[in-house]
Amino acid sequence: MPAPKKTARRSLLVASAVLSSLALAAPAAVAAPKPSGSPSASPSATPPASMSTVGGARLGRPGTQVNLASGVPVLPKDVSARSWIVADAETGDVLAAHNAHWRLAPASTLKMLFADTLLPKFPRTGKHKVAPSDLAGIGAGSSMVGIKEEETYTVHDLWLGVFLRSGNDAVHVLSAMNKGVENTVREMNEHAEELQALDTHVVSPDGYDAEGQVSSAYDLTLIARSGMQKKDFREYAATVSAKFPGETKKGKKGKSVRESFEIQNTNRLLAGDSDVPVYQGIAGVKNGNTTNAGATFTGVAERNGKVLLVTVMNPEKSGHNEVYKETARLFDWGFKAAGKVQPVGELVPPRSAAGARPGANPSGEAGGAGSGSGTSTGTGGKPVAGAPAAGGSSGVGAALGITGGVLVLLAAGAFLVNRRWPLPDLVRRRTRP
């Protein structure tokens, strides 16, 4: 595409984002009405005729939005999800979408917002002894990592439990450390508003089905993009397997011994399954499944220097691992279409982008107020690659990045992206088995 046309096209998208930001000054009900009633206890098969237009007017329309033209591959026909989106993680361009702002139950994909909100608060080397009250209120049938009362865990352990096993028990312990579930929910809702994820309303921090709890494919993609700008978030989302502390028991000689067991990431595009191969270039991020939400998934993957985000919500086609199969098809399309297709909208920056301070620490690494220096690289284990690097090489050049970081709203009305974020090297070198 010639440079002048590219600039003009980006200017239109920027203008849309600026208008969306200005719309925030209007009452919240105009941009994204608060949910009423159960979000999906009896889910409608029909999206609303009018939805949020954050990111562009076309994203507020029901149905599939894509600019097909000569040289642009046709979208896969076997995608049954009620809502999905394919976006360029670096530029923020939305390449295609289907009911992008349809407010649906998010399931455990909401844990991305939980992590993006709380990760910077606690040093990963910090320790916490679990009290019985920490595990109160966990929903029946919740996914659990296996946390035990009166045992001590590091913050690093707890985040492994959240990201790999989608452990609601780990979420509740971290929430207890954060002054409780109610406070955590409040902070998550505030952070969603800051990200302009205005379709999102949090009731339960773990994504467990709750009255009025909703998000959208657009919002989950915004949240994932924000999370992936944080080093610790990237590491945890890319970890395939890890050792997790078990119970402390008396050994043969009467000495207390802390056992451990292996946990594996439930993201099937990352860990693989009998009918789902590891997706080439996958680097996270989060899956979910509940009665109200069905299956949900947001993934990030890199191929040939391009980083894409795909979110899929509630495939209507039945079948084991269908959400991953549909995500893989959309990734395949996105990598073929990138650079050829005109976007239909964009992922907007956070509300505070205009007030970003030069020199502010944007690393997002776990530090917490009590860590002394304010940052901590930690001493926890590195991500465990489930497949060797291609050709057995130990290094494949500089780490590729996701643009994010500080997005500055200039007086001229343009956004300056001034930072690239490296994907975990072990994961990005993985090839399809």
Side-chain angles (χ1 to χ4, degrees):
M1 180 185 297
K5 292 184 179 180
K6 174 75 172 179
T7 301
R9 192 262 300 170
R10 291 295 296 160
S11 296
L12 288 174
L13 290 175
V14 165
S16 175
V18 171
L19 290 173
S20 297
S21 298
L22 293 175
L24 291 171
V30 175
K34 291 294 183 184
S36 60
S38 177
S40 55
S42 299
S44 170
T46 306
S50 179
M51 295 174 279
S52 167
T53 56
V54 172
R58 289 188 64 177
L59 298 182
R61 301 175 189 171
T64 301
Q65 307 300 320
V66 63
N67 288 317
L68 293 178
S70 177
V72 177
V74 177
L75 285 165
K77 297 182 182 302
D78 50 355
V79 177
S80 66
R82 293 186 172 190
S83 177
W84 56 259
I85 192 169
V86 181
D88 186 312
E90 181 181 23
T91 65
D93 289 343
V94 176
L95 307 185
H98 180 75
N99 301 326
H101 280 291
W102 193 358
R103 306 180 84 195
L104 300 168
S108 286
T109 47
L110 196 63
K111 289 183 172 77
M112 295 187 297
L113 179 60
F114 173 77
D116 197 38
T117 304
L118 264 64
L119 254 175
K121 290 194 167 197
F122 309 109
R124 57 192 288 168
T125 53
K127 296 181 179 181
H128 179 77
K129 185 175 181 179
V130 177
S133 59
D134 294 349
L135 300 175
I138 298 176
S142 289
S143 54
M144 311 277 269
V145 69
I147 290 174
K148 303 297 181 183
E149 297 176 3
E150 305 302 333
E151 291 284 5
T152 298
Y153 298 85
T154 65
V155 170
H156 176 66
D157 294 331
L158 295 172
W159 283 119
L160 288 172
V162 171
F163 278 87
L164 273 67
R165 296 303 303 171
S166 201
N168 288 6
D169 48 356
V171 169
H172 277 253
V173 172
L174 284 161
S175 295
M177 295 169 61
N178 190 51
K179 300 180 182 178
V181 168
E182 184 177 344
N183 180 65
T184 298
V185 166
R186 178 183 59 78
E187 291 183 353
M188 289 173 67
N189 280 316
E190 289 174 351
H191 188 51
E193 185 176 350
E194 156 63 17
L195 295 178
Q196 298 203 60
L198 303 180
D199 298 324
T200 300
H201 180 69
V202 182
V203 178
S204 177
D206 49 24
Y208 191 85
D209 286 337
E211 184 84 5
Q213 182 156 274
V214 289
S215 190
S216 66
Y218 182 87
D219 280 14
L220 292 174
T221 307
L222 270 188
I223 292 163
R225 191 185 189 208
S226 176
M228 289 297 289
Q229 294 171 25
K230 297 173 173 61
K231 181 177 182 294
D232 285 349
F233 189 107
R234 293 194 302 272
E235 177 187 323
Y236 291 126
T239 301
V240 179
S241 62
K243 292 291 185 181
F244 193 82
E247 291 186 86
T248 300
K249 297 182 177 180
K250 293 290 185 181
K252 293 181 179 179
K253 298 181 179 180
K255 187 176 181 180
S256 296
V257 178
R258 185 78 180 272
E259 298 178 339
S260 66
F261 55 94
E262 185 172 287
I263 58 174
Q264 189 175 53
N265 203 310
T266 54
N267 174 355
R268 300 306 182 197
L269 291 187
L270 186 71
D273 203 359
S274 58
D275 60 339
V276 178
V278 173
Y279 191 81
Q280 181 182 357
I282 193 72
V285 286
K286 193 70 191 75
N287 56 300
N289 198 315
T290 64
T291 301
N292 286 355
T296 60
F297 179 66
T298 298
V300 63
E302 176 272 334
R303 189 178 297 174
N304 298 325
K306 183 67 67 176
V307 183
L308 299 182
L309 282 162
V310 172
T311 295
V312 171
M313 299 187 76
N314 199 348
E316 296 182 346
K317 186 186 297 183
S318 61
H320 186 56
N321 291 328
E322 182 63 28
V323 72
Y324 302 108
K325 295 173 184 178
E326 296 192 8
T327 298
R329 294 181 195 120
L330 289 171
F331 266 130
D332 287 345
W333 177 85
F335 286 121
K336 292 176 184 176
K340 301 175 183 177
V341 65
Q342 291 279 350
V344 295
E346 73 173 359
L347 303 177
V348 296
R351 293 180 65 179
S352 62
R357 300 188 307 275
N361 176 19
S363 71
E365 295 177 34
S371 64
S373 65
T375 59
S376 173
T377 57
T379 57
K382 295 180 179 179
V384 179
S393 172
S394 60
V396 191
L400 175 107
I402 292 179
T403 299
V406 183
L407 292 168
V408 182
L409 181 58
L410 301 179
F415 290 111
L416 172 65
V417 178
N418 65 1
R419 192 175 300 276
R420 295 175 63 85
W421 302 91
L423 291 179
D425 190 55
L426 285 174
V427 174
R428 75 179 191 84
R429 296 201 311 259
R430 301 178 74 201
T431 56
R432 192 188 302 271

